[in-house]
Amino acid sequence: MSVLPPSVAWSITDGPEAVAIIDQRLLPGELVVRRLETVDAVIDAIATLAVRGANVIGSAGGLGLALGIRQGLDAVVTADRLIAARPTAVNLAVAVNLVLAAHRAGLDPLERALGLIADDTEQTRLIGEFGRAELAGVDTVLTHCNTGRLATTGWGTALGVIYAKQAAGEPIRVLATETRPLRQGARLTAWELHTSGIDVSLIPDSAAASALGQGLVGAVIVGADRIAANGDTANKIGTRALAVAAAHEGIPFYVAATLNAVDLGTASGDAIEIEERDPAEMLEGIPVPIPVWNPAFDVTPGELIAGIITEAGVLRPPYAVSLKEALG
Amino acid sequence: MSVLPPSVAWSITDGPEAVAIIDQRLLPGELVVRRLETVDAVIDAIATLAVRGANVIGSAGGLGLALGIRQGLDAVVTADRLIAARPTAVNLAVAVNLVLAAHRAGLDPLERALGLIADDTEQTRLIGEFGRAELAGVDTVLTHCNTGRLATTGWGTALGVIYAKQAAGEPIRVLATETRPLRQGARLTAWELHTSGIDVSLIPDSAAASALGQGLVGAVIVGADRIAANGDTANKIGTRALAVAAAHEGIPFYVAATLNAVDLGTASGDAIEIEERDPAEMLEGIPVPIPVWNPAFDVTPGELIAGIITEAGVLRPPYAVSLKEALG
């Protein structure tokens, strides 16, 4: 269905072995697959956001370490350098350290890195299938930000549910919010779905409540950056507004995420610190330094979430119980 | 307080008599007052959106007709030409026809045009004062789109309440939503308030629910494009989301508008047709023609509105009764 190449892969064609990535900085204007033939090139791609999305960054890091080891570089030094490329990206450190541990245990680091990608891909496949069963009667979905083929090594989390419906030949229409200020919904999601042959319409973030109020939407599905032990979910700014509007209209609101987004060490959303982004993202064309409040994420209360769609199935409230069981 | 000149005025300094306007196409990059010394210049300014905002367009049209009559042009022909500059702008036709009727009755058309502006200005002054009394205990307000000095001939409707608080020396802080896709909240509201010395922060539309949820806001105030007989209110897209989020958090949501926005001939919001805007406004940087749903307005149910702040006072539910009384 999709004409998109994988967001990250191991490449042995068209040159020496390499980590192949879609350069996401050029999207959607240009679709360029870049072959990263050295660890330095992998580090540069991670640091400059040519690769983005937690799972994609982790996968690129794991493959990068395997590449370095195969080229005779010191494994520990290379692992440290890769992790330092995005120090706050948890998935990057986890993936690189797992590949390093495999190598030290005498296992093949490339096989381990590819295995991690296969695991990620399989997890999103399961999310898609569980979500498809859950949304059996729904033919129009509203989503926010980017959670698909570009953000994961599979078909995505929230978008995975949509791709699963498409793969099963079920009718599916998507309303994709623009997702200001960085417009991932316009630049990535709407473009990715349109390119994949899915009936998608881009809408301003502010039009979502109207679409829900007019009965145009059967369900809302979003991804998650972090899920607290009680189900409170941190995700891209604007998610909470969608959950509140969906609740007002009696439309089910779902979170779709791999279980590695669940943090049982965070009791509730109150404990999640919300980073603020650069004011300049909002001040295009404004000649004076007007103060800006530009939070990266918001927190959606667990009680507004009808279900959390994971690779272990659709979790139900009370999430304090179901999340613990799923991870246990 | 404000360093802004009037959005539209009669000018007899710096040249022959003229209609003086702020050229809103250049804001906020440049603050340019343009003297329109001919009817053709007035028509051009209206047609090209150099003047915008229903009341401002009407005022410019009324002054334009007075200018033409004083320059010896045919009054009826000039009136028709002015009205044709923005055929769907109801305020324009109303103002021009009132000035024409005054002229035909042997009255001074300029005096009539200036009287209409004075009425508009006084109405927004009253809205500001009634709103200030209503919001006596509120020091932080969230607003949407642009409803201030640039959109009216006075200090505005929703922003009038804020300016009234400032004028009274009361503490007031404003969160202004960006208002995608045309960004009137960023380019006009935040800039106008900042320029007027008011503590304002610009936020993405999608961050409003989070601001309300965090208890940062005491009330939401917006303007209105049309108010139906039952209080359902059409206003800039995104208004409904704010009303729903405010209701969820128990925060009062107000509409501030002059009574000429009330249309008792429209029974409810269901009867209001919502025009769609140009998809191109949403597709900046997107190389493929992705479908877009870009509605100009949405409808907020009257039951989500705590009060409608007008020049006749703050109207309360049930609006089917209070609106009729206020107009009767």
Side-chain angles (χ1 to χ4, degrees):
Chain A
M1 312 273 187
S2 174
V3 302
L4 282 181
S7 50
V8 57
W10 184 251
S11 170
I12 52 170
T13 54
D14 305 321
E17 50 183 32
V19 182
I21 60 149
I22 295 178
D23 188 338
Q24 299 201 26
R25 294 170 302 186
L26 305 180
L27 292 178
E30 286 180 84
L31 176 57
V32 172
V33 174
R34 213 173 278 289
R35 298 182 86 261
L36 311 172
E37 299 178 0
T38 66
V39 169
D40 284 347
V42 173
I43 289 170
D44 186 63
I46 292 171
T48 60
L49 309 185
V51 284
R52 59 158 281 287
N55 289 349
V56 179
I57 292 169
S59 299
L63 289 176
L65 178 55
L67 181 71
I69 291 170
R70 291 166 73 90
Q71 293 178 346
L73 300 182
D74 181 86
V76 174
V77 170
T78 303
D80 286 347
R81 290 186 61 223
L82 281 161
I83 291 169
R86 283 287 296 274
T88 58
V90 175
N91 291 55
L92 175 60
V94 168
V96 168
N97 282 324
L98 285 171
V99 172
L100 179 62
H103 171 64
R104 291 172 132 180
L107 303 173
D108 178 0
L110 178 58
E111 196 174 306
R112 187 74 178 107
L114 292 172
L116 291 174
I117 293 179
D119 290 350
D120 273 355
T121 304
E122 173 64 5
Q123 285 163 8
T124 64
R125 191 189 69 77
L126 289 168
I127 287 172
E129 290 302 334
F130 285 125
R132 181 171 80 86
E134 175 76 13
L135 271 65
V138 172
D139 62 9
T140 305
V141 160
L142 188 145
T143 191
H144 189 55
C145 202
N146 182 254
T147 60
R149 290 188 163 119
L150 295 166
T152 68
T153 58
W155 60 13
T157 53
L159 294 195
V161 177
I162 289 156
Y163 288 124
K165 278 184 158 283
Q166 181 191 39
E170 297 173 10
I172 182 67
R173 178 166 186 249
V174 180
L175 298 184
T177 56
E178 181 182 29
T179 318
R180 281 286 289 163
L182 293 185
R183 301 180 70 228
Q184 294 94 332
R187 293 187 300 105
L188 303 177
T189 299
W191 176 82
E192 167 186 337
L193 292 174
H194 186 75
T195 302
S196 300
I198 286 175
D199 179 3
V200 59
S201 289
L202 174 64
I203 69 173
D205 298 307
S206 63
S210 201
L212 295 169
Q214 291 180 38
L216 303 179
V217 174
V220 178
I221 315 182
V222 301
D225 283 89
R226 201 194 317 183
I227 301 172
N230 70 344
D232 290 355
T233 295
N235 191 46
K236 181 59 43 68
I237 189 72
T239 302
R240 181 189 176 96
L242 300 179
V244 169
H248 183 78
E249 308 295 347
I251 294 167
F253 175 92
Y254 293 96
V255 168
T258 49
L259 286 170
N260 63 16
V262 178
D263 179 9
L264 294 182
T266 301
S268 75
D270 294 340
I272 300 177
E273 201 191 335
I274 304 295
E275 59 184 276
E276 288 197 34
R277 298 188 52 87
D278 187 348
E281 293 173 357
M282 291 290 294
L283 291 175
E284 187 188 344
I286 317 284
V288 283
I290 295 167
V292 171
W293 186 57
N294 188 17
F297 307 109
D298 59 25
V299 174
T300 297
E303 57 261 34
L304 297 180
I305 301 171
I308 301 177
I309 306 170
T310 75
E311 66 270 30
V314 182
L315 309 186
R316 310 285 179 187
Y319 296 114
V321 176
S322 57
L323 285 169
K324 210 166 173 180
E325 278 177 7
L327 288 171
Chain B
M1 315 270 184
S2 174
V3 302
L4 282 182
S7 50
V8 57
W10 184 251
S11 170
I12 51 171
T13 55
D14 307 320
E17 51 183 31
V19 182
I21 60 149
I22 295 178
D23 188 339
Q24 298 202 27
R25 295 169 302 187
L26 305 179
L27 292 177
E30 285 180 86
L31 176 57
V32 172
V33 174
R34 212 173 277 290
R35 298 181 86 260
L36 310 172
E37 299 177 0
T38 65
V39 170
D40 284 347
V42 174
I43 289 170
D44 187 63
I46 292 171
T48 59
L49 309 185
V51 284
R52 59 158 282 286
N55 289 350
V56 179
I57 291 170
S59 299
L63 289 176
L65 177 55
L67 180 71
I69 291 169
R70 292 165 72 90
Q71 292 179 346
L73 300 182
D74 181 86
V76 174
V77 170
T78 304
D80 286 347
R81 289 186 61 221
L82 281 161
I83 291 170
R86 283 287 298 271
T88 57
V90 175
N91 291 54
L92 175 60
V94 168
V96 169
N97 282 322
L98 285 172
V99 172
L100 179 62
H103 171 63
R104 290 172 133 181
L107 302 173
D108 179 0
L110 178 58
E111 196 174 306
R112 187 72 179 109
L114 291 172
L116 291 174
I117 293 178
D119 290 349
D120 273 354
T121 305
E122 173 64 5
Q123 284 163 8
T124 64
R125 191 189 69 76
L126 289 168
I127 287 172
E129 289 302 335
F130 285 124
R132 180 171 79 85
E134 175 75 14
L135 271 63
V138 172
D139 61 8
T140 304
V141 161
L142 187 146
T143 191
H144 189 55
C145 201
N146 181 254
T147 60
R149 290 187 163 119
L150 295 166
T152 69
T153 58
W155 59 13
T157 53
L159 294 196
V161 177
I162 289 156
Y163 289 123
K165 278 184 160 282
Q166 181 191 38
E170 298 174 9
I172 182 66
R173 177 166 186 247
V174 180
L175 298 185
T177 56
E178 181 182 29
T179 319
R180 279 285 290 162
L182 293 185
R183 302 180 69 228
Q184 294 95 331
R187 292 187 299 108
L188 303 177
T189 299
W191 176 82
E192 168 186 337
L193 292 174
H194 186 75
T195 303
S196 300
I198 287 176
D199 178 3
V200 59
S201 289
L202 174 65
I203 69 172
D205 298 305
S206 62
S210 200
L212 295 169
Q214 290 180 37
L216 303 179
V217 174
V220 178
I221 316 182
V222 302
D225 282 89
R226 203 195 312 184
I227 301 173
N230 69 344
D232 290 355
T233 295
N235 191 46
K236 180 60 41 70
I237 190 73
T239 302
R240 181 190 177 97
L242 300 178
V244 168
H248 183 77
E249 308 295 346
I251 295 168
F253 175 92
Y254 292 96
V255 168
T258 50
L259 286 171
N260 63 16
V262 179
D263 178 9
L264 294 182
T266 300
S268 76
D270 294 339
I272 300 176
E273 202 192 334
I274 304 295
E275 59 186 274
E276 288 195 36
R277 298 188 51 87
D278 187 349
E281 292 172 359
M282 291 291 293
L283 290 175
E284 188 187 344
I286 317 287
V288 282
I290 295 167
V292 171
W293 186 58
N294 188 17
F297 307 109
D298 59 25
V299 174
T300 297
E303 57 260 32
L304 297 180
I305 302 170
I308 301 178
I309 306 169
T310 75
E311 66 271 30
V314 181
L315 309 186
R316 309 286 180 188
Y319 295 114
V321 176
S322 57
L323 286 169
K324 211 166 173 179
E325 278 178 7
L327 289 171

